[in-house]
Amino acid sequence: MRVDHLLRLDGLDLALVWGEESLLGQEIGGVTATDLEDPARFLQPGEIVLSGLVWWGRDGDPARTDRFVSALSGTGAVALLAGEETHGEVPGELAAACRRHRVPLLAVPAHTSFRAITEAVYLRQWGELSRRPTDHYALPENVRVELARALDRGASAAELLGLSFAHLGTPVCHLVSGSGRTVARTATAPELPPERAVEALRGRHGTTVRIEADDSVYDTWYLHLPEPDRVPSRILHEIGELIGRHRRRQDRRAAPRVRAQEELVARTDAVYGEADGLERALRSCGLAGAEAYTVVVADPAGPAARGDAPAALAEALRHQRAVGFAVAGRPDGRAVAVLAHGPDPDGEVPARLREVWPLLHACRPGAAPHAGVSDPVHRPGDLPRALAQARYALAGAHAKTATAPATAPATGPAATAGVARLRDLTDLRTLLAGVPADVRAAYLDTVLGPLLRAGRGSRAVLLETLEVFLAHDCSWTRTAEALHLHVNTVHYRIDRVEALTGRDLSSLDHRLDLRAALLCR
């Protein structure tokens, strides 16, 4: 188990404060918890150190901090996990010392106990028993030999599951992704709808083992057994390690396909798309000759998820039926997917995407990725146009969720509003959301500039009055009631708005001008 694996352990919520990639790749040999100022004599090389920082004070003694971190570095500790409960945060002074001594620093939130971290580390290391001498194995020798042969010949995950559990009477077991997609299941396991699979992973019934691989929260695999006592823990973790080896081999074999997908997306995103080049790129991805193509653009679920957009979008698309796709990230942090499918007159592709989109929220609760979906196109040369449509629709998806009620559930309408098509641009707000920011800013200044440059007090009052007046269909009486003003005061303020902007609010065109400008803020 490596240091960077700690950041992906479910339920621990650890955060990286500082650590270079080469240091995060170090193997963990053990765990020690200490709050001594100089713990050197109690540490062993390869350990991670847990500290509640009781020894640290806000008196500003950098030497004390430096001694502590120096002791970790000198004994070969591979990381420091600092608790936030005592001081409310990880001190910047500690981060600076870890950077100087090249000791990776991870923050432990107050709700995560050191015991949970210790147990999670040692439990994960159980899954690595297959690297040890034969007498440490939990699976019978004949089963291990058969599994090794199956793994070498490229057996599927379903075949490996069947061989792993056959000698145990083939208990019910599902191999599922974080979004509830069934990757494989044993012969006795019934079909498991994604929604129920997500509930099973979150629930307390049964046993769940995370498969160790270089993955994201969106495409992580889990072994789930609804009957917790059917399989001994050591055997289950050894099977999990075997499935992890299968996953890592699968990911390595997919590397050429990943490069082909990146080329296709890059050509689709080119300023001048060449039909011949797009056709060749589609052929390299196995997507040539489809009756229709759809482009989807997704953005990350917040700053913490930057880099996860391709995995999130790919996981959502794996739930699609009879749809081939290529996904790649772009320099702006978004992900672009090209989907190849049959005729889609009823919009089944975006409808299915909306159906599974809430499942992504189960992978990263509280963070909501968005997606824009183009209309289908039928020629490779039209893919750049479809990409432009998808980007416009993505801006509309953001606008829709921005106006959704804050109390909307993560798996309800607010979640599905995160996916939008061009035909969902049904109002002025979502239409304007796709206009480039510099264009909106220029329009805002042109229409409302004199009003925005008025004195601070009058500017706020006049803008509020204008917004309420337009929202009440330019009714003087209802505006006065909403603002608790005399109607003459409303007349005076609107006269000031008209004088500053040069617009006549009795004109429908001018009303639309002002409403559009307000939405461009």
Side-chain angles (χ1 to χ4, degrees):
M1 180 181 186
R2 303 193 310 262
V3 175
D4 55 358
H5 291 159
L6 292 169
L7 298 169
R8 300 198 293 267
L9 288 177
D10 296 320
L12 297 185
D13 300 326
L14 305 181
L16 178 64
V17 178
W18 181 85
E20 296 178 353
E21 185 176 352
S22 59
L23 299 175
L24 295 175
Q26 297 178 99
E27 292 288 335
I28 297 173
V31 184
T32 290
T34 181
D35 266 308
L36 296 173
E37 284 190 40
D38 185 2
R41 64 185 183 277
F42 298 104
L43 303 180
Q44 298 292 326
E47 290 184 324
I48 59 170
V49 177
L50 311 179
S51 177
L53 306 185
V54 175
W55 53 270
W56 186 83
R58 297 188 180 274
D59 54 2
D61 184 2
R64 178 192 301 172
T65 304
D66 196 78
R67 282 196 302 272
F68 180 85
V69 179
S70 177
L72 271 58
S73 176
T75 54
V78 295
L80 169 62
L81 276 64
E84 296 180 325
E85 184 173 12
T86 303
H87 303 289
E89 61 180 358
V90 175
E93 178 184 294
L94 181 62
C98 286
R99 188 178 294 108
R100 283 196 304 274
H101 292 283
R102 296 180 57 76
V103 176
L105 176 61
L106 280 64
V108 182
H111 63 266
T112 300
S113 70
F114 285 175
R115 178 178 178 180
I117 296 172
T118 303
E119 290 180 349
V121 170
Y122 286 122
L123 189 61
R124 185 61 47 80
Q125 289 179 332
W126 273 21
E128 299 172 359
L129 287 172
S130 58
R131 302 174 187 168
R132 301 181 182 180
T134 303
D135 57 359
H136 287 279
Y137 285 119
L139 286 168
E141 175 71 13
N142 65 315
V143 175
R144 286 191 301 103
V145 170
E146 188 176 9
L147 286 170
R149 290 173 178 167
L151 191 64
D152 288 340
R153 71 170 184 268
S156 66
E159 185 178 353
L160 292 173
L161 274 189
L163 293 173
S164 298
F165 289 107
H167 72 290
L168 297 169
T170 313
V172 171
C173 178
H174 293 87
L175 178 64
V176 298
S177 69
S179 68
R181 176 177 55 88
T182 297
V183 178
R185 55 192 170 109
T186 55
T188 57
E191 289 189 15
L192 191 61
E195 295 78 6
R196 284 184 50 200
V198 167
E199 292 175 2
L201 293 179
R202 284 179 163 184
R204 298 183 178 180
H205 301 293
T207 299
T208 300
V209 172
R210 184 184 186 278
I211 304 302
E212 193 65 60
D214 293 328
D215 47 27
S216 77
V217 295
Y218 296 104
D219 56 5
T220 300
W221 287 359
Y222 298 88
L223 277 176
H224 180 74
L225 284 82
E227 301 175 274
D229 300 325
R230 282 292 306 273
V231 180
S233 181
R234 285 186 60 191
I235 290 181
L236 187 57
H237 282 83
E238 192 172 331
I239 293 172
E241 167 62 17
L242 174 87
I243 298 297
R245 288 164 59 194
H246 163 77
R247 171 68 186 272
R248 291 189 289 273
R249 289 188 181 190
Q250 183 184 76
D251 290 345
R252 285 195 298 270
R253 287 195 297 269
R257 187 165 68 251
V258 170
R259 289 192 291 271
Q261 293 182 5
E262 290 173 347
E263 181 182 355
L264 171 60
V265 169
R267 287 185 176 276
T268 302
D269 199 13
V271 177
Y272 300 104
E274 298 180 1
D276 291 344
L278 286 166
E279 178 70 38
R280 288 194 299 272
L282 286 167
R283 193 177 302 114
S284 297
C285 295
L287 303 179
E291 295 182 73
Y293 296 97
T294 297
V295 175
V296 181
V297 180
D299 62 4
R306 186 172 177 85
D308 276 351
L313 182 53
E315 179 60 23
L317 294 175
R318 290 188 185 106
H319 287 268
Q320 296 269 357
R321 294 183 290 267
V323 173
F325 63 87
V327 178
R330 304 308 296 143
D332 61 3
R334 292 175 174 174
V336 174
V338 176
L339 283 62
H341 51 84
D344 191 32
D346 299 323
E348 183 180 342
V349 170
R352 179 60 177 161
L353 194 60
R354 271 186 170 150
E355 183 181 328
V356 303
W357 203 253
L359 299 172
L360 298 182
H361 293 247
C363 301
R364 193 183 285 277
H370 295 79
V373 185
S374 76
D375 287 337
V377 296
H378 304 282
R379 298 180 302 175
D382 290 333
L383 285 174
R385 176 170 61 83
L387 175 57
Q389 290 181 357
R391 283 179 169 150
Y392 211 110
L394 175 62
H398 278 287
K400 280 186 175 292
T401 53
T403 57
T407 55
T411 56
T416 55
V419 178
R421 298 180 295 172
L422 277 180
R423 66 189 63 184
D424 296 323
L425 304 181
T426 55
D427 55 42
L428 188 58
R429 180 187 300 276
T430 55
L431 177 66
L432 291 172
V435 175
D438 55 346
V439 177
R440 293 200 307 272
Y443 183 78
L444 174 64
D445 185 68
T446 300
V447 177
L448 288 179
L451 175 56
L452 295 174
R453 287 188 285 273
R456 179 179 300 178
S458 60
R459 177 179 67 228
V461 166
L462 293 177
L463 282 172
E464 179 189 26
T465 304
L466 174 60
E467 286 185 294
V468 175
F469 187 64
L470 292 173
H472 287 83
D473 301 321
C474 299
S475 166
W476 303 100
T477 303
R478 285 188 289 145
T479 301
E481 291 174 352
L483 293 173
H484 305 289
L485 297 173
H486 191 279
V487 71
N488 289 343
T489 304
V490 176
H491 274 281
Y492 168 75
R493 291 182 180 179
I494 294 300
D495 287 344
R496 286 281 295 142
V497 169
E498 290 179 330
L500 287 168
T501 62
R503 259 54 178 193
D504 178 3
L505 278 162
S506 65
S507 164
L508 177 59
D509 286 343
H510 288 188
R511 291 180 190 179
L512 288 174
D513 291 343
L514 291 168
R515 174 60 178 160
L518 289 171
L519 291 173
C520 285
R521 287 185 298 167

